[in-house]
Amino acid sequence: MTSAPSTSRSVTFLFPFKLPGMQEPHAPGTFEVRSEVEHLDVMWDAHRTMSSILLRYPGRIEAFPVTAGDLEAAILNDRNSGIEPTLP
């Protein structure tokens, strides 16, 4: 298996958020998400993408594994958290 160069992007959470596998919600902020595409050694063209969000804690940074679907769901939930409910 060979790996392609990693890519990164920033995501911003405006509210505390929790990803699958987290014990407690994490404080809001802007975080780096690093992704690496790994080409699989099979007879057809196949790959898998592995991503991590870099979470900041006092005195340390933790690379927390996250799927694209879980990250996008958390971002969508964060965006919807700031919407004022409409009254009938």
Side-chain angles (χ1 to χ4, degrees):
M1 288 183 274
T2 60
S3 295
S6 63
T7 60
S8 66
R9 68 177 179 134
S10 294
V11 296
T12 299
F13 288 96
L14 303 174
F15 301 95
F17 65 97
K18 190 172 178 184
L19 295 165
M22 286 182 162
Q23 298 297 323
E24 301 288 329
H26 196 283
T30 299
F31 304 91
E32 181 181 359
V33 177
R34 291 187 185 166
S35 299
E36 185 173 294
V37 176
E38 184 176 44
H39 297 284
L40 303 177
D41 189 17
V42 294
M43 298 199 52
W44 57 91
D45 186 28
H47 67 278
R48 68 177 166 194
T49 303
M50 298 165 51
S51 298
S52 297
I53 185 169
L54 302 182
L55 302 175
R56 292 182 303 276
Y57 295 95
R60 68 185 172 100
I61 296 175
E62 178 183 338
F64 189 84
V66 64
T67 67
D70 289 341
L71 181 61
E72 294 308 316
I75 292 169
L76 182 62
N77 184 54
D78 184 72
R79 298 307 173 261
N80 291 334
S81 293
I83 297 174
E84 292 287 329
T86 57
L87 299 175

